[in-house]
């Protein structure tokens, strides 16, 4: 056995070890996205705001009149704006030093701590809930920008669709497992000697504990690639780094075109994730247990969807598979407008549809973008990608909140999201992916 073969095998072992650790961060943080953002916090924070509202149904955070039902989506928008301000600064610091792990640890544990502190939300503490949501959600976005930047380092071009899909599958499996535990506690809260509200607070706080505990695994397995002193000195900092990255992207207009399409359709995806439970609770008059079961269904089917769409991408290419998923999103959200109130069976059908396309859309978008990144610029380009992923996904929640504030109807608010998927489809369809990969200087996979 030659020395080159031994070296390749050793590199493969190290790469797989890092991949396994990388998957576990999705396992750690996805519980926040599922249990907190998607299931419990929206309806619970809305109830806190309603209990603090005046006779006209308005709360007044910092003296600003806000309809109680719109406080949660506005808080989500505020968290994403904060993330957009923080990510370029953190990403530039990580790029200069080549040490992403310390920043990943800081963001993860700040978010986990804020989530665990949600145990103290009771009475009319809606403003505290909004502040904790802003901190936790922004911290998650920052940590994910650093997490995603590892993908090109720990996988070969031919592995990336599969590795990215497995990461999402790990996250959805984790969310499903914890939701089962949440469902047991919530539905049998009397048997555990706690009130319904206390059960919700325990579910919120436990997501923070889970996030913090499992983050130890990726921190122990992922390796930093430090830059040499000359590169660190030459690297711009903070917003100058973001401007330098955007200037460099102008030399890769097709990569920018993909980011624009992703920005649009992902805004719709993120808004559905964060607002679905509010829609089910307030407009469709469904109980919390029904919502938990629906989201559990989403999580279970998202595992199969992420892995299944990864296989479809190997046959039809990532772009075509994503486009098909956007057609499905448009039909699903349009159908959601017509769901009858008090009919959980139809809500479960809607949840099943979302689950089948959710994981695959996200996983394949991430892996497709990794092919469009010029070699040696993975970290800074993935910072821009995360800025498109979470950092500028404030428009959807804002439009959702404004539509509800203007009409008082969550049906009108949910159907307003169709435009994000339809426009995203049109923009992505115009991107010549093979030419974009060649322009970035990367080998073109057999299927794109």
């Amino acid at each position: 056995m030659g020395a080159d073969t031994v070296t390749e095998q050793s590199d493969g072992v190290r790469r797989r070890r890092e991949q396994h650790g990388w998957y576990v961060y999705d396992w750690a943080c996805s519980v926040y996205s599922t249990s907190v953002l998607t299931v419990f916090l929206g309806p619970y924070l809305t109830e806190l705001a309603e209990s603090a509202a005046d006779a006209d149904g308005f709360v007044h955070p910092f003296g600003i009149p806000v309809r109680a039902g719109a406080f949660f989506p506005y808080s989500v928008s505020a968290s994403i704006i904060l993330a957009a301000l923080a990510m370029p600064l953190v990403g530039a610091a990580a790029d200069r030093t080549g040490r992403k792990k310390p920043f990943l640890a800081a963001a993860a544990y700040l978010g986990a701590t804020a989530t665990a502190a949600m145990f103290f939300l009771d009475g009319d503490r809606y403003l505290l809930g909004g502040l904790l949501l802003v901190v936790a959600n922004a911290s998650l976005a920052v940590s994910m920008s650093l997490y995603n930047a590892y993908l090109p380092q720990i996988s070969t071009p031919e592995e990336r669709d599969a590795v990215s899909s497995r990461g999402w599958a790990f996250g959805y499996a984790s969310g499903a497992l914890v939701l089962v535990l949440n469902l047991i506690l919530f539905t049998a809260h009397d048997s555990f000697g706690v009130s319904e509200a206390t059960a919700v607070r325990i579910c919120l706080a436990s997501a923070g504990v889970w996030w913090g505990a499992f983050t130890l695994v990726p921190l122990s397995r992922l390796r930093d690639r430090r830059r040499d002193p000359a590169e660190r000195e030459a690297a711009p900092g903070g917003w100058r780094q973001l401007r330098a990255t955007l200037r460099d992207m102008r030399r890769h207009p097709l990569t920018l075109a993909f980011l624009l399409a992703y920005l649009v359709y992902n805004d719709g995806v993120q808004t559905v994730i964060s607002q679905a439970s509010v829609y089910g609770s307030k407009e469709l008059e469904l109980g919390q247990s029904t919502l938990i079961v629906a989201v559990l269904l989403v999580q279970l089917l998202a595992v199969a969807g992420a892995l299944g769409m990864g296989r479809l991408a190997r046959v039809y290419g990532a772009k075509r598979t994503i486009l098909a998923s956007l057609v499905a999103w448009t039909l699903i959200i349009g159908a959601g407008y017509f769901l009858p109130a008090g009919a959980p069976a139809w809500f479960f059908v809607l949840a099943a549809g979302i689950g089948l396309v959710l994981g695959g859309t996200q996983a394949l978008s991430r892996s497709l973008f990794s092919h469009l990144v010029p070699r040696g610029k993975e970290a800074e380009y993935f910072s821009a990608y995360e800025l498109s992923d979470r950092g500028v996904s404030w428009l959807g929640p804002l439009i959702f909140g404004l539509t509800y504030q203007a009409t008082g109807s969550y049906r009108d608010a949910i159907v307003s999201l169709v435009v994000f998927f339809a426009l995203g489809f049109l923009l992505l369809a115009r991107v010549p992916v093979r030419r974009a990969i060649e322009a970035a200087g990367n080998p073109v996979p057999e299927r794109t």
Side-chain angles (χ1 to χ4, degrees), residues 71-83 133-134 137 275 391 393-399 401:
F71 180 74
F72 174 68
Y74 286 164
S75 297
V76 173
S77 287
S79 73
I80 296 169
I81 292 170
L82 175 60
L133 167 60
V134 167
N137 219 37
Q275 306 303 321
S393 293
W394 52 268
L395 185 59
L398 181 61
I399 288 178

Side-chain angles (χ1 to χ4, degrees), residues 293-295 297-298 301 332 346-356:
V293 172
V295 175
L297 181 62
V298 169
L301 290 177
I332 290 167
W346 285 110
F347 191 69
F348 292 150
V349 171
L350 189 76
I354 290 174
L356 288 173

Side-chain angles (χ1 to χ4, degrees), residues 27 40 100 167 329 343:
W27 175 274
F40 288 107
K100 292 188 284 291
W329 274 110

Side-chain angles (χ1 to χ4, degrees), residues 289-304:
S289 297
T290 299
L291 297 177
I292 295 173
V293 172
V295 175
L296 178 59
L297 181 62
V298 169
Q299 297 298 114
L300 292 172
L301 290 177
V303 175

